[in-house]
Amino acid sequence: MSYEVLGWGAGELWFDGDSLLWHELPHGESSRDAADHALAERLIRYFRGEAVSFDDIALASDDEPAFARALAGALRAVPRGAVVTYGELAALAGRPGAARAAGTFCARNRFPIVVPCHRVVAARGLGGYGSLGLDYKRRLLELEGFGPSTR
């Protein structure tokens, strides 16, 4: 199912029953807000700047390795407006020294915003943000109120 967010573009949500299977972030052009699912409506509120929680969203991640599920759980616990490094995320998930694996997890994250990989930064800089780029990541962090004093 698709949704639209004014100023952000169109995104997609896929479900496996009641569990989120995949989320594609909004991109491109959109001249309106449009949603026909409760999660899409919450995402629109998030992109409008509201402090929306996604803690109750079930993820279809049973096929993921245990460490990936641990990374997702640790990342979901990083509060809005805060960031962690890839190394810190790995340590929070129980595997200090697995920063590269944490980076790979973030690059393959199929639940952006719900599993907020934009809150993970490199030890020296923002790190990457896939095909949407660093400007998109900066925009998400600014939306959440991240600034130097919040780290």
Side-chain angles (χ1 to χ4, degrees):
M1 95 179 22
S2 63
Y3 67 99
E4 294 182 50
V5 185
L6 178 65
W8 288 86
E12 295 280 336
L13 296 167
W14 288 270
F15 294 92
D16 181 7
D18 291 330
S19 297
L20 182 62
L21 182 62
W22 191 277
H23 174 214
E24 182 179 314
L25 287 167
H27 61 281
E29 299 293 323
S30 180
S31 59
R32 65 189 182 124
D33 289 339
D36 58 1
H37 187 276
L39 177 55
E41 290 170 5
R42 285 165 68 182
L43 285 163
I44 288 172
R45 290 185 12 239
Y46 167 85
F47 285 106
R48 291 281 149 257
E50 288 184 38
V52 178
S53 172
F54 299 101
D55 292 346
D56 63 319
I57 303 299
L59 305 176
S61 60
D62 292 340
D63 60 335
E64 295 289 333
F67 184 53
R69 290 192 308 273
L71 287 164
L75 190 47
R76 289 180 93 175
V78 174
R80 179 184 176 93
V83 297
V84 296
T85 66
Y86 294 101
E88 289 169 337
L89 176 61
L92 289 169
R95 293 207 18 218
R100 186 173 290 203
T104 299
F105 167 80
C106 289
R108 295 181 179 161
N109 179 17
R110 38 182 200 161
F111 311 112
I113 308 302
V114 176
V115 177
C117 56
H118 61 279
R119 295 180 188 157
V120 183
V121 298
R124 294 183 185 97
L126 280 181
Y129 204 63
S131 64
L132 294 174
L134 286 180
D135 286 338
Y136 200 98
K137 184 173 186 170
R138 278 187 198 97
R139 196 171 170 200
L140 290 172
L141 291 172
E142 289 172 7
L143 181 73
E144 295 185 354
F146 175 74
S149 63
T150 58
R151 174 101 165 61

